[in-house]
Amino acid sequence: MLNAAPGEVDLGAARVATWTYGGELPGREIRVRRGDLLRVRLDNRLPRPTTVHWHGLALRNDMDGVPGLTQPEVAPGAGFDYAFTVPDAGTYWFHPHVGVQLDRGLYAPLIVEDPDEPGDYDQELVVVFDDWLDGTGRDPDQTLGDLLASGMGGMDMGGGMAMPRSDLLGGDAGDVTYPYFLANGRTADAARTLDVRPGQRVRLRMINASGDTAFRVGVPGTPMTLTHTDGFPVVPTAADAVLLGMGECVDAVVEVPDAVVPLLGLAEGKDGITQVLLRPGPGAAPDVVAAAAALRGSPVTPVNDLPAAESLVLPGREPDVVHPMTLGGPEPGYTWTINGRTYDPTAGVPVREGQRVRLRFENTTTMFHPMHLHGHTFQVRGAAGAGPRKDTATVLPGQALEVDFDADNAGQWLTHCHNVYHGEAGMMTVVSYVE
Ligand code: C2O
Ligand code: CU
């Protein structure tokens, strides 16, 4: 039973009223094995309609949780039975697909174990990063309303702060100013702790559930070996830090040193840091600001730097169809578009079962967009050959990114920016299987 309801949570720095799954932040993890039939009953105790979207899974279309496209909204007081076979192992998560509910506390990890994977590690740590404003005097619905009304980003509440910018993100780093940044529901000063032993290998399963914030993550002084992105194995790659756009997931393995170390999340282009601590014994955690300096170099970016494991590279094939996906906005007002239009569920891009499909995302805006496709895992076309298999790929301003997938899962599948404000303001369309 998944109970979506209003409640209070303790972030560490503040106690806030919000909406959660089961009263916890993040919601309790769901863990299954590849091939399992997952059954979850959603019980909607929220004052608004909701749904659950199972982010990253190539599941059956009628369980995808997109209201008006794959199912009706679940009314307050009503329920919905989700039941589907889980096709692929990996680190995934789930969240509502109604309005900007994702930017409240409604999110939780979905971990799919692979019975055949050797698992060369001793412990696992699932970490969900988030940007937080709900219950601090504003909520996400008001924030979206303000953006739509003012026609501009950078809700600086009159403080005259500059728009957040990041060279790494190629321009604007966000439209919304958040008072808090969280790792597993906590601010840095009240970090959650994992008890470990020196020399242990810990698998980090990292998820960015933010509404409007990319995170730069890493363990200062302790190199990570990146092993998966968006659930799928990559060529193992050493990194001091990795950049996670909204909706992206990365797995890594680290070897625990002798002293307490943080897994830091730096809000990219914004002034915020959060952490989870790995604690091999007594001792104080290092100062977060000082520790963060070690992660200020060039992080790995999943789209460019993490080629898919060889067995996962899609067999070479010319695309049967190439669909341009031109990303535009935010003029006029706060309007974000794909191919010049806002979301229209009846005007998607047509694909046919059996086709090799190429989507060509072209970002004509001044902000990055983590573009997400439901129901499929595409192959990024890298500069030097096959890139990673992913479901969410960050497209930088002024750049184009091509992704290929085999149309093997019939249905109506949303593709959109995982900046929840951009998606709601129009940057959303449908990959629509037609006869
Ligand atoms: Cu995680 Cu349509 O999104
Ligand atoms: Cu966007």
Side-chain angles (χ1 to χ4, degrees):
M1 176 80 90
L2 188 64
N3 201 330
E8 275 201 4
V9 292
D10 184 1
L11 309 178
R15 225 185 138 71
V16 293
T18 185
W19 299 353
T20 66
Y21 291 129
E24 293 176 47
L25 187 71
R28 186 166 314 158
E29 154 190 316
I30 295 179
R31 191 171 276 258
V32 294
R33 301 171 90 189
R34 172 166 52 80
D36 280 356
L37 177 67
L38 175 59
R39 290 174 176 280
V40 178
R41 178 163 179 83
L42 167 68
D43 185 16
N44 183 10
R45 300 285 153 195
L46 301 172
R48 304 281 304 149
T50 193
T51 61
V52 179
H53 169 60
W54 309 91
H55 177 113
L57 295 189
L59 77 185
R60 47 186 281 187
N61 192 232
D62 59 354
M63 293 289 137
D64 196 43
V66 180
L69 193 68
T70 70
Q71 68 165 97
E73 287 186 331
V74 182
F80 189 88
D81 290 299
Y82 289 95
F84 54 88
T85 301
V86 177
D88 296 299
T91 300
Y92 304 101
W93 59 298
F94 56 94
H95 60 77
H97 226 297
V98 173
V100 290
Q101 291 178 6
L102 155 69
D103 215 16
R104 298 186 190 252
L106 294 165
Y107 57 80
L110 170 58
I111 307 302
V112 185
E113 293 182 347
D114 184 346
D116 300 328
E117 197 204 69
D120 186 19
Y121 49 87
D122 305 299
Q123 285 212 57
E124 277 192 27
L125 174 61
V126 181
V127 182
V128 189
F129 294 97
D130 190 22
D131 47 15
W132 191 274
L133 56 74
D134 200 22
T136 65
R138 280 179 305 151
D139 67 36
D141 287 300
Q142 293 162 342
T143 301
L144 177 63
D146 291 347
L147 287 167
L148 293 169
S150 72
M152 46 190 288
M155 301 303 300
D156 63 25
M157 305 169 81
M161 283 157 63
M163 287 278 290
R165 291 188 59 80
S166 159
D167 288 342
L168 192 58
L169 295 170
D172 302 337
D175 290 342
V176 178
T177 300
Y178 290 86
Y180 301 117
F181 296 95
L182 310 180
N184 288 350
R186 306 286 279 178
T187 49
D189 51 330
R192 295 196 198 273
T193 296
L194 180 72
D195 288 319
V196 291
R197 286 199 305 279
Q200 274 191 329
R201 290 166 60 81
V202 178
R203 178 177 185 167
L204 306 171
R205 295 179 179 265
M206 302 177 284
I207 301 164
N208 185 356
S210 296
D212 177 72
T213 305
F215 276 93
R216 184 192 283 248
V217 303
V219 181
T222 304
M224 301 181 286
T225 302
L226 308 180
T227 59
H228 300 70
T229 181
D230 298 356
F232 281 63
V234 298
V235 175
T237 302
D240 292 325
V242 59
L243 185 68
L244 265 71
M246 297 80 83
E248 285 191 285
C249 302
V250 168
D251 291 23
V253 175
V254 290
E255 197 174 304
V256 177
D258 298 333
V260 179
V261 284
L263 169 63
L264 292 182
L266 279 55
E268 180 61 26
K270 302 182 178 184
D271 193 18
I273 305 176
T274 185
Q275 64 177 346
V276 169
L277 297 173
L278 301 175
R279 184 181 291 284
D287 174 70
V288 275
V289 175
L295 303 184
R296 295 287 180 197
S298 291
V300 160
T301 59
V303 158
N304 297 317
D305 303 328
L306 296 178
E310 206 168 327
S311 61
L312 291 170
V313 173
L314 283 187
R317 176 174 166 189
E318 283 308 305
D320 298 299
V321 60
V322 180
H323 286 296
M325 302 287 248
T326 303
L327 311 177
E331 311 293 339
Y334 189 77
T335 303
W336 296 94
T337 56
I338 297 178
N339 295 332
R341 58 202 306 170
T342 56
Y343 179 54
D344 176 351
T346 66
V349 299
V351 304
R352 290 189 162 72
E353 192 137 24
Q355 283 181 330
R356 171 66 60 87
V357 180
R358 177 167 297 166
L359 304 179
R360 181 183 163 78
F361 295 106
E362 193 166 342
N363 185 350
T364 70
T365 79
T366 59
M367 188 167 167
F368 73 107
H369 304 288
M371 297 305 298
H372 175 51
L373 173 64
H374 288 204
H376 302 76
T377 293
F378 49 68
Q379 166 101 48
V380 174
R381 292 237 302 157
R389 295 289 302 274
K390 289 183 70 55
D391 56 69
T392 308
T394 296
V395 190
L396 297 182
Q399 297 200 357
L401 186 78
E402 294 181 336
V403 305
D404 290 356
F405 66 93
D406 284 326
D408 57 4
N409 192 13
Q412 302 300 307
W413 299 104
L414 219 54
T415 182
H416 62 91
C417 180
H418 222 286
N419 181 310
V420 76
Y421 297 94
H422 294 185
E424 280 308 295
M427 192 173 273
M428 195 167 321
T429 188
V430 180
V431 167
S432 171
Y433 280 67
V434 297
E435 288 301 311

